[in-house]
């Protein structure tokens, strides 16, 4: 282990060796990385542990500097573990460069099937005794991290002292089709709210889409192809607290005058590439729909199929008339694997995952109905990424869970609020308010 300091904190790097497949503990092993954070003036104290599970899937734990965001509140009483979930960050990576080591697309798909909440929770239970001496810990799950916490409550509640979820209460039984059928109307509401705030962006977005439709895709850095559909997917920004403003600032500088007429500006293209590329988190695209799979039904590119039920998202139709162009949100489509060079070599493996029919249930409603772990959840009203009605139904199914439903924040409330969201969740779980 290596320890070092940042302002006000002491950090320690940890690595753990865990089974790829927890049902075969003597089989292949992978490595997990986690960063321990403790207040600098309490580094030698006996403190309870708080495990943070990042959203995604496919994102490593956030790299804080000092006591940023919710970490400031956590460090008042906890020793915090920021886990890079399997396949992310400094844990054994899963991407276009490493997955060919598995073999062909079939072997890659079989490998990727081990990167859902069930495996992540088994990882947590493997490393917990090594850090806590066997004591249960508090777990904070953001977004997909909350899905993992719900699985934790379903399968290993003995490992939990307190469960805290923020923007991450999943449906216990919805198929991916149900998730995306509910998502598109929410996405439309977010886009309409953006246009109400920035009405000038209606024509700006139509102009960019029209340019791409007439002149063809533009090749961005690293070979990413900016098509009309890829441009529409910038709507993923609208799920965060500052996302509407970021999208507006992106659109307002889209064109530059050149000797050949107006063209899409290099600065716009570079920023769009940064927002769209999956190079830093390919697992997000690869297993995103698989996190909703729980039975013999394949996900079968659910987001793409459900989009056909909402023709108002068809850019060609919008441009043929005078309707505003609708952006899309947290949806992964087959064409992502054509546009993005970091995904293209993995398209066949992704297709095999989408066709898979041997998924196992992730949640146990009967066990959740008997829950005794103090549990609290922040539900962000009209969250673009997680359906509010699904979350409220699940909240009623988990015994003793206390909710805070708010429209004060978007999906990233735990990060945007500083210490407030975590402080509120802890108070709810402790029955202090």
């Amino acid at each position: 282990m290596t320890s070092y300091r940042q302002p006000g904190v002491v950090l320690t790097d940890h690595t753990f060796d865990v089974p790829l497949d927890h049902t075969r503990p003597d089989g292949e092993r992978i490595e997990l990385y986690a960063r321990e954070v403790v207040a600098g003036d309490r580094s030698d104290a006996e403190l309870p542990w708080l495990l943070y599970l990042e959203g995604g899937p496919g994102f490593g734990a956030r790299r804080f500097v000092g006591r940023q965001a919710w970490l400031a509140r956590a460090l008042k009483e906890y020793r915090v573990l920021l886990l890079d979930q399997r396949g992310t960050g400094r844990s054994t990576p899963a991407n276009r460069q490493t997955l060919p080591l598995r073999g062909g697309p079939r072997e890659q798909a079989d490998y990727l099937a081990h990167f859902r909440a069930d495996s992540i929770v088994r990882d947590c239970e493997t490393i917990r005794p090594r850090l806590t001496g066997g004591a249960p810990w508090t777990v904070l799950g953001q977004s997909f991290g909350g899905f993992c916490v719900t699985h934790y409550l379903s399968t290993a509640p003995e490992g939990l002292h307190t469960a805290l979820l923020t923007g991450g209460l999943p449906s216990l039984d919805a198929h991916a089709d149900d998730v995306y059928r509910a998502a598109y109307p929410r996405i439309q509401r977010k886009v309409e709210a953006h246009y109400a705030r920035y009405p000038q962006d209606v024509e700006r977005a139509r102009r960019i889409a029209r340019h791409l439709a007439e002149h063809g895709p533009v090749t961005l850095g690293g070979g990413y192809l900016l098509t009309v559909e890829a441009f529409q997917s910038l709507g993923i920004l609208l799920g965060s607290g500052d996302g509407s403003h970021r999208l507006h600032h992106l659109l307002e500088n889209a064109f530059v005058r050149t000797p050949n007429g107006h063209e899409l500006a290099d600065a716009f293209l570079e920023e769009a590439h940064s927002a769209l590329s999956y190079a830093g988190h390919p697992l997000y695209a690869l297993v995103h729909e698989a996190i909703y799979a729980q039975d013999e039904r394949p996900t079968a590119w659910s987001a793409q199929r459900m989009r056909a039920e909402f023709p108002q998202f068809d850019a060609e139709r919008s441009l043929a008339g005078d309707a505003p162009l609708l952006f899309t949100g947290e949806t992964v489509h087959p064409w992502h694997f054509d546009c993005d060079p970091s995904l293209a070599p993995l398209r066949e493996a992704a297709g095999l995952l989408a066709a898979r029919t041997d998924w196992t249930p992730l949640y146990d409603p009967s066990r959740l109905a008997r829950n005794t772990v103090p549990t609290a959840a922040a539900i962000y009203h009209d969250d673009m990424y997680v359906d509010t009605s699904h979350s409220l139904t699940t909240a009623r199914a988990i015994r003793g869970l206390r909710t805070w439903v708010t429209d004060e924040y978007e999906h990233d409330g735990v990060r945007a609020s500083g210490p407030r969201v975590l402080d509120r969740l802890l108070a709810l779980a402790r029955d202090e308010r």
Side-chain angles (χ1 to χ4, degrees), residues 194-276:
H194 173 79
Y195 285 147
R197 179 190 294 272
Y198 293 114
Q200 61 270 49
D201 285 356
V202 174
E203 181 50 37
R204 287 171 176 166
R206 284 176 57 86
R207 184 185 178 195
I208 295 167
R210 189 183 305 114
H211 180 89
L212 292 169
E214 293 175 353
H215 297 278
V218 175
T219 302
L220 308 182
Y224 190 104
L225 291 179
L226 182 63
T227 63
V228 175
E229 288 181 311
F231 169 64
Q232 286 178 276
S233 67
L234 284 169
I236 195 171
L237 296 173
L238 297 176
S240 63
D242 63 354
S244 177
H245 311 301
R246 291 169 58 200
L247 180 61
H248 169 68
H249 293 147
L250 177 61
L251 298 180
E252 69 180 352
N253 292 313
F255 285 94
V256 63
R257 185 181 177 187
T258 77
N260 298 318
H262 284 88
E263 297 179 357
L264 291 171
D266 286 347
F268 164 80
L269 296 174
E270 178 64 22
E271 191 171 350
H273 179 239
S274 177
L276 294 173

Side-chain angles (χ1 to χ4, degrees), residues 77-397:
E77 55 185 290
Y78 292 104
R79 191 175 296 272
V80 175
L81 191 71
L82 304 172
L83 175 66
D84 283 351
Q85 297 164 28
R86 52 171 55 201
T88 74
R90 287 177 58 184
S91 296
T92 299
N95 55 44
R96 68 170 180 86
Q97 295 170 298
T98 65
L99 284 169
L101 294 170
R102 316 304 313 172
R106 173 61 63 185
E107 291 76 17
Q108 294 171 23
D110 289 343
Y111 181 77
L112 291 167
H114 296 293
F115 285 76
R116 302 197 309 155
D118 46 2
S119 295
I120 292 167
V121 169
R122 294 288 293 273
D123 289 342
C124 295
E125 278 299 277
T126 299
I127 67 178
R128 177 179 60 85
R130 307 182 197 178
L131 294 174
T132 73
W137 52 13
T138 292
V139 179
L140 171 64
Q142 154 67 11
S143 188
F144 172 68
F147 289 30
C148 295
V149 175
T150 307
H151 181 79
Y152 219 143
L153 289 167
S154 293
T155 60
E158 66 278 2
L160 298 176
H161 178 277
T162 306
L164 308 172
L165 304 90
T166 167
L169 263 179
S171 170
L172 300 181
D173 58 5
H175 182 265
D177 288 3
D178 304 313
V179 171
Y180 292 110
R181 188 175 285 116
Y184 279 107
R186 294 199 313 280
I187 296 167
Q188 182 170 350
R189 289 195 294 272
K190 295 296 184 184
V191 177
E192 290 170 346
H194 173 79
Y195 285 147
R197 179 190 294 272
Y198 293 114
Q200 61 270 49
D201 285 356
V202 174
E203 181 50 37
R204 287 171 176 166
R206 284 176 57 86
R207 184 185 178 195
I208 295 167
R210 189 183 305 114
H211 180 89
L212 292 169
E214 293 175 353
H215 297 278
V218 175
T219 302
L220 308 182
Y224 190 104
L225 291 179
L226 182 63
T227 63
V228 175
E229 288 181 311
F231 169 64
Q232 286 178 276
S233 67
L234 284 169
I236 195 171
L237 296 173
L238 297 176
S240 63
D242 63 354
S244 177
H245 311 301
R246 291 169 58 200
L247 180 61
H248 169 68
H249 293 147
L250 177 61
L251 298 180
E252 69 180 352
N253 292 313
F255 285 94
V256 63
R257 185 181 177 187
T258 77
N260 298 318
H262 284 88
E263 297 179 357
L264 291 171
D266 286 347
F268 164 80
L269 296 174
E270 178 64 22
E271 191 171 350
H273 179 239
S274 177
L276 294 173
S277 173
Y278 284 101
H281 47 280
L283 270 179
Y284 179 99
L286 287 162
V287 302
H288 196 271
E289 293 193 357
I291 69 174
Y292 302 113
Q294 300 198 70
D295 53 31
E296 73 283 355
R297 291 175 294 171
T299 58
W301 297 111
S302 177
Q304 181 72 11
R305 290 185 294 101
M306 293 304 102
R307 179 171 172 160
E309 296 184 6
F310 300 92
Q312 62 268 38
F313 284 88
D314 187 310
E316 184 176 352
R317 171 177 166 169
S318 297
L319 295 176
D322 58 2
L325 180 86
L326 292 183
F327 291 94
T328 53
E330 193 184 34
T331 54
V332 177
H333 304 265
W335 53 259
H336 276 112
F337 291 79
D338 298 324
C339 292
D340 194 330
S342 69
L343 299 179
L346 305 173
R347 174 163 184 161
E348 192 173 348
L352 291 170
L353 272 180
R356 199 174 185 101
T357 59
D358 60 350
W359 301 110
T360 55
L362 291 167
Y363 313 113
D364 184 343
S366 64
R367 196 161 190 182
L368 293 172
R370 303 190 305 272
N371 175 58
T372 59
V373 176
T375 304
I379 299 173
Y380 303 114
H381 179 64
D382 218 26
D383 188 327
M384 192 175 83
Y385 301 144
V386 179
D387 187 73
T388 304
S389 63
H390 289 175
S391 294
L392 290 173
T393 298
T394 298
R396 290 189 288 270

Side-chain angles (χ1 to χ4, degrees), residues 50 52 68-74 78 139-143 162-168 376-381 402-430 433:
L50 183 147
Y52 175 64
Q68 293 177 315
W70 58 268
L71 195 58
R73 172 63 183 87
Y78 292 104
V139 179
L140 171 64
Q142 154 67 11
S143 188
T162 306
L164 308 172
L165 304 90
T166 167
I379 299 173
Y380 303 114
H381 179 64
R402 299 191 65 186
T403 60
W404 173 33
V405 183
T406 177
D407 59 5
E408 190 172 352
Y409 303 105
E410 292 287 347
H411 186 73
D412 60 343
V414 74
R415 296 189 291 266
S417 71
R420 187 173 177 219
V421 167
L422 178 56
D423 192 58
R424 181 70 178 268
L425 290 177
L426 285 168
L428 284 172
R430 294 166 179 172
R433 62 173 69 182

